């Protein structure tokens, strides 16, 4: 309901007149109530309120002006002043301010019960809103009946006729559609001028047009624009904008999900491919059907483990709404495969040498993603060996799966097979008795708790290639402190602890000890 519509109702039409702000009579009213206190405007008035008051006649002019300016600033739709009891004439300054802001100022010139007026007008507003909801539901039902080919275009055309407005649909990828050449021409400029802070489900509104982004997950897939040529867009128009946007978003999701399901409906071949049991010709045939028959430069498998078995439907939805977007942003193609609580992402990269870097960025995005389908925030990832031929993908898969246990012991880190050196040897032989014997034989007294500081210093010394300056900097200690510790180490291990094969054996023993006793890590 607008101010103009409300003052024409039986509660107002015979007792009021508009004295200023005629141009603002099309303002929408959400609620009507009385306000007499002059110093609580900021806490009492909301946008689109219509205020009734009586006491301005007994109020100082300066206070009255401040009151009017306050409710205008708060976004009220209008002010009704009762003047009959005190035979009060509204001050010219108030009229000037109202006209300047196109703010409806209405005089109630007959003795009235403001309580009955607000009660009656609010009943009309509520009934109007209920009619609006019913009418929007009717629109929704009719929109749902439109099916078949080119359904988005048909629904936009129906909505434009339903509201008698212009509509433009600007998808992220694909053909644009507009109900008139005028809005088609202006739509790109409208989107360009939108404030950057308008995000997510917000609607960007101006007097005669509104824009709503079409988001799937965190990805923007386009925009929907409504424009009225004859008047301001109403709240009902914005409601319909939201409902049409939801329909279009649903169509886009269904289309993406259908394409995703085609990949996985017969995914037993992926298991055979990862296991190295599929012939080269068969791999080529299957990938060709997925539109991936080109030869990429690098391939690898990235595996993650979740704390529960994954439902196939959630996996498909996750690939549709979240995961594929993260990979596409890094210019990687991905095929997913689930096996119990493991997800394996088969990655295709056309740029040699940067697969691991891109995957780390993707994993960081997934762990920070607000995802209601699958939670990656505390998930361990293993990036298997990067290979140059798709026929070698089984090796990447095998290394990603083999090092899952290692990843679980390094929670919070991404394990990259190609970045493991000592760790690969240690992980392979960690259960053998020879490792414990090696640690005991070579490190001796250094593995006792009271000598942990010395052991940690020795490990840092080896990591810095026996550079005393770099070791001191790494440990954040003075040179003299380092010299003192190294002398104690020399006393325990002997003079040759930093030379030749003896150094290699000691360094291996240090790495092995740290690998087996992670609680000793600083």
């Amino acid at each position: 309901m607008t101010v103009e519509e409300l003052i024409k109702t039986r509660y107002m039409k015979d007792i009021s007149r508009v004295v200023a702000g005629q141009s603002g009579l099309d303002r929408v009213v959400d609620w009507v109530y009385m306000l007499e206190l002059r110093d609580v405007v900021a806490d009492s008035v909301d946008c689109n309120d219509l205020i009734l008051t009586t006491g301005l006649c007994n109020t100082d002019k300066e206070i009255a002006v401040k009151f009017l300016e306050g409710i205008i600033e708060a976004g009220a739709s209008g002010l009704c002043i009762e003047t009959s009891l005190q035979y009060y004439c509204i001050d010219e300054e108030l009229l000037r301010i109202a006209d300047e802001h196109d703010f409806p100022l209405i005089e109630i010139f007959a003795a009235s019960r403001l309580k009955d007026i607000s009660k009656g007008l609010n009943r009309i507003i509520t009934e109007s809103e209920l009619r609006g909801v019913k009418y929007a539901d009717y629109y929704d039902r009719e929109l749902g009946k439109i099916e078949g080919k080119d359904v988005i275009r048909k629904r936009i055309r129906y909505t434009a006729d339903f509201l008698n407005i212009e509509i433009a649909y600007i998808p992220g990828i694909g053909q644009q559609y507009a109900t008139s050449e005028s809005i088609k021409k202006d739509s790109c400029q409208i989107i360009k001028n939108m404030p950057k802070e308008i995000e997510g489900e917000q609607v960007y509104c101006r007097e005669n047009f509104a824009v709503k982004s079409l988001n799937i997950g965190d990805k923007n897939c386009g925009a929907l624009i409504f424009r009225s040529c004859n008047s301001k867009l109403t709240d009902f128009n914005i409601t319909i904008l939201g409902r049409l946007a939801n329909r279009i978003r649903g169509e886009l999701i269904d289309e993406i999900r259908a394409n995703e399901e085609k990949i996985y409906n017969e995914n037993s071949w992926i298991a055979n491919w990862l296991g190295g049991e599929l012939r080269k010709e068969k791999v080529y045939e299957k990938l060709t059907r997925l539109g991936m028959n080109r030869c990429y430069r690098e391939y690898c498998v990235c595996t993650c483990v979740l704390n529960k078995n994954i439902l196939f439907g959630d996996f498909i939805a996750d690939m549709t709404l979240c995961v594929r977007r993260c990979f596409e942003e890094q210019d990687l193609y991905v095929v997913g495969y689930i096996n119990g609580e493991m997800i394996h992402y088969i990655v295709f990269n056309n740029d040699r040498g940067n697969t691991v870097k891109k995957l780390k960025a993707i994993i960081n995005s997934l762990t920070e993603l607000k995802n209601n389908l699958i939670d990656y925030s505390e998930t361990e990832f293993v990036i298997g060996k990067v290979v140059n031929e798709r026929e070698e993908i089984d090796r990447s898969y095998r290394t990603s799966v083999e090092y899952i246990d290692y990843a679980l012991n390094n929670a919070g880190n991404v394990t990259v097979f190609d970045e493991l050196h000592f760790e690969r040897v240690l992980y392979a032989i960690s259960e053998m008795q020879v490792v414990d014997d090696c640690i005991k034989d070579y490190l001796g007294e250094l593995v006792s708790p009271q000598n942990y500081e010395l052991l940690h210093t020795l490990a840092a010394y080896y990591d810095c290639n026996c550079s005393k300056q770099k070791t001191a900097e790494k440990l954040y200690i003075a040179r003299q402190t380092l010299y003192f510790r190294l002398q104690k180490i020399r006393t325990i291990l002997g003079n040759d602890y930093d030379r030749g094969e003896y150094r290699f054996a000691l360094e291996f023993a240090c790495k092995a000890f740290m690998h087996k006793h992670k609680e000793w890590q600083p």
Side-chain angles (χ1 to χ4, degrees):
M1 299 291 293
T2 64
V3 174
E4 185 173 22
E5 290 171 332
L6 289 176
I7 63 177
K8 289 180 179 179
T9 64
R10 62 188 178 89
Y11 298 102
M12 295 280 287
K13 65 178 180 179
D14 296 326
I15 61 170
S16 66
R17 58 174 168 261
V18 180
V19 294
Q22 293 273 358
S23 300
L25 290 175
D26 59 349
R27 293 177 182 234
V28 173
V29 178
D30 289 341
W31 202 246
V32 181
Y33 63 93
M34 297 172 58
L35 181 64
E36 299 296 348
L37 298 175
R38 307 290 172 240
D39 55 353
V40 294
V41 172
D43 297 324
S44 304
V45 180
D46 290 327
C47 188
N48 296 341
D49 286 343
L50 180 62
I51 308 300
L52 308 178
T53 192
T54 60
L56 284 187
C57 54
N58 295 322
T59 301
D60 181 80
K61 176 181 176 181
E62 184 178 343
I63 296 176
V65 168
K66 186 177 179 181
F67 175 71
L68 177 60
E69 290 176 339
I71 63 175
I72 291 174
E73 184 178 347
S77 298
L79 175 64
C80 302
I81 305 174
E82 186 184 46
T83 61
S84 61
L85 295 181
Q86 285 82 14
Y87 304 102
Y88 169 68
C89 292
I90 299 175
D91 192 277
E92 290 292 330
E93 179 67 9
L94 299 181
L95 301 180
R96 184 192 65 77
I97 293 172
D99 279 331
E100 186 178 296
H101 291 86
D102 293 329
F103 181 78
L105 200 58
I106 300 153
E107 179 185 7
I108 300 177
F109 53 78
S112 310
R113 284 169 54 93
L114 297 189
K115 175 183 176 182
D116 292 338
I117 293 174
S118 63
K119 185 177 179 180
L121 294 181
N122 284 329
R123 185 185 302 114
I124 291 173
I125 292 171
T126 302
E127 291 172 352
S128 173
E129 289 175 347
L130 290 174
R131 287 195 301 273
V133 171
K134 290 180 180 179
Y135 202 34
D137 289 343
Y138 163 78
Y139 160 82
D140 226 13
R141 290 193 297 273
E142 294 300 309
L143 202 67
K145 294 176 183 178
I146 301 174
E147 297 177 344
K149 187 178 179 181
D150 210 9
V151 65
I152 293 179
R153 183 185 296 263
K154 292 176 182 176
R155 286 174 173 170
I156 290 174
R157 183 70 263 174
Y158 172 79
T159 305
D161 293 339
F162 182 80
L163 297 176
N164 190 29
I165 61 171
E166 297 176 322
I167 300 177
Y169 168 51
I170 314 297
I173 300 175
Q175 187 175 2
Q176 301 178 2
Y177 175 69
T179 57
S180 71
E181 286 298 320
S182 174
I183 193 171
K184 185 177 182 180
K185 181 180 178 181
D186 298 340
S187 57
C188 291
Q189 190 63 36
I190 289 173
I191 294 173
K192 184 179 179 180
N193 292 336
M194 284 176 58
K196 292 182 179 179
E197 60 268 20
I198 300 296
E199 298 176 348
E201 297 301 311
Q202 288 181 286
V203 177
Y204 175 59
C205 292
R206 284 296 177 264
E207 289 204 352
N208 71 326
F209 74 85
V211 183
K212 185 171 180 62
S213 296
L214 297 172
N215 297 325
I216 297 179
D218 288 343
K219 181 179 180 181
N220 180 273
C221 295
L224 192 62
I225 303 172
F226 279 20
R227 185 171 70 179
S228 173
C229 297
N230 304 319
S231 61
K232 290 171 60 176
L233 289 175
T234 65
D235 286 351
F236 181 73
N237 295 145
I238 303 304
T239 298
I240 297 301
L241 171 60
R243 298 205 178 192
L244 179 60
N246 287 338
R247 289 280 184 175
I248 294 176
R249 187 187 295 110
E251 291 293 333
L252 295 175
I253 291 174
D254 288 345
E255 182 180 338
I256 296 170
R257 186 172 295 177
N259 292 333
E260 201 72 48
E261 287 181 349
K262 286 180 183 178
I263 298 174
Y264 303 109
N265 278 339
E266 298 180 3
N267 65 354
S268 58
W269 72 272
I270 298 179
N272 293 333
W273 180 32
L274 295 177
E277 301 170 4
L278 207 63
R279 299 194 318 273
K280 181 177 180 179
E281 297 77 14
K282 198 68 174 178
V283 173
Y284 179 81
E285 176 190 331
K286 292 291 186 179
L287 292 178
T288 299
R289 289 184 183 179
L290 299 179
M292 300 162 54
N293 56 340
R294 61 189 289 186
C295 289
Y296 293 84
R297 295 187 176 184
E298 290 186 342
Y299 306 79
C300 82
V301 175
C302 179
T303 296
C304 66
V305 180
L306 301 173
N307 56 11
K308 62 178 181 179
N309 285 346
I310 310 152
L311 297 177
F312 183 73
D314 285 344
F315 169 68
I316 294 297
D318 191 50
M319 290 293 296
T320 300
L321 301 177
C322 305
V323 173
R324 192 167 296 283
R325 173 181 62 82
C326 292
F327 278 86
E328 288 174 351
E329 286 176 353
Q330 294 293 330
D331 198 27
L332 298 180
Y333 196 93
V334 61
V335 175
Y337 175 68
I338 57 172
N339 180 16
E341 61 182 12
M342 290 188 188
I343 303 180
H344 309 284
Y345 297 115
I346 309 170
V347 181
F348 303 74
N349 185 15
N350 198 39
D351 295 326
R352 192 181 299 279
N354 60 4
T355 300
V356 170
K357 180 181 177 182
K358 288 183 175 183
L359 277 173
K360 285 182 177 180
I362 291 167
I363 291 169
N364 185 58
S365 297
L366 289 175
T367 54
E368 294 180 354
L369 201 62
K370 294 179 180 178
N371 188 349
N372 295 325
L373 299 166
I374 298 176
D375 183 10
Y376 296 96
S377 59
E378 297 182 0
T379 300
E380 290 75 30
F381 290 83
V382 178
I383 299 174
K385 180 165 184 60
V386 177
V387 296
N388 302 122
E389 301 293 336
R390 58 187 169 214
E391 291 78 23
E392 298 177 335
I393 200 71
D394 60 311
R395 186 181 179 195
S396 183
Y397 170 71
R398 187 173 66 253
T399 52
S400 72
V401 172
E402 284 177 354
Y403 280 81
I404 282 295
D405 289 339
Y406 179 83
L408 295 175
N409 291 326
N410 287 271
N413 297 319
V414 178
T415 300
V416 181
F417 178 80
D418 287 332
E419 294 179 357
L420 300 177
H421 305 297
F422 263 121
E423 293 87 347
R424 287 168 60 177
V425 177
L426 292 171
Y427 186 68
I429 65 173
S430 59
E431 300 303 321
M432 297 172 62
Q433 181 61 40
V434 67
V435 176
D436 292 330
D437 292 341
C438 179
I439 293 171
K440 183 178 179 180
D441 292 344
Y442 283 98
L443 297 180
E445 295 178 27
L446 284 182
V447 298
S448 59
Q450 65 268 26
N451 288 327
Y452 166 66
E453 188 175 64
L454 296 178
L455 179 61
H456 176 49
T457 300
L458 180 63
Y461 186 56
Y462 288 147
D463 286 342
C464 296
N465 200 24
C466 298
S467 167
K468 293 182 176 66
Q469 179 181 345
K470 292 180 179 178
T471 305
E473 291 173 355
K474 181 175 182 177
L475 296 175
Y476 299 102
I477 60 176
R479 287 275 197 94
Q480 288 303 122
T481 303
L482 176 64
Y483 296 156
F484 175 73
R485 291 183 188 177
L486 292 178
Q487 183 57 47
K488 293 181 72 175
I489 292 171
R490 189 183 305 275
T491 302
I492 296 172
L493 299 179
N495 293 329
D496 296 333
Y497 75 95
D498 56 355
R499 292 195 292 272
E501 292 185 3
Y502 185 44
R503 169 192 162 177
F504 176 80
L506 287 169
E507 188 169 355
F508 178 84
C510 284
K511 293 282 187 181
F513 182 83
M514 295 297 182
H515 176 78
K516 291 176 71 67
H517 301 276
K518 298 191 182 299
E519 69 276 8
W520 281 54
Q521 296 282 359

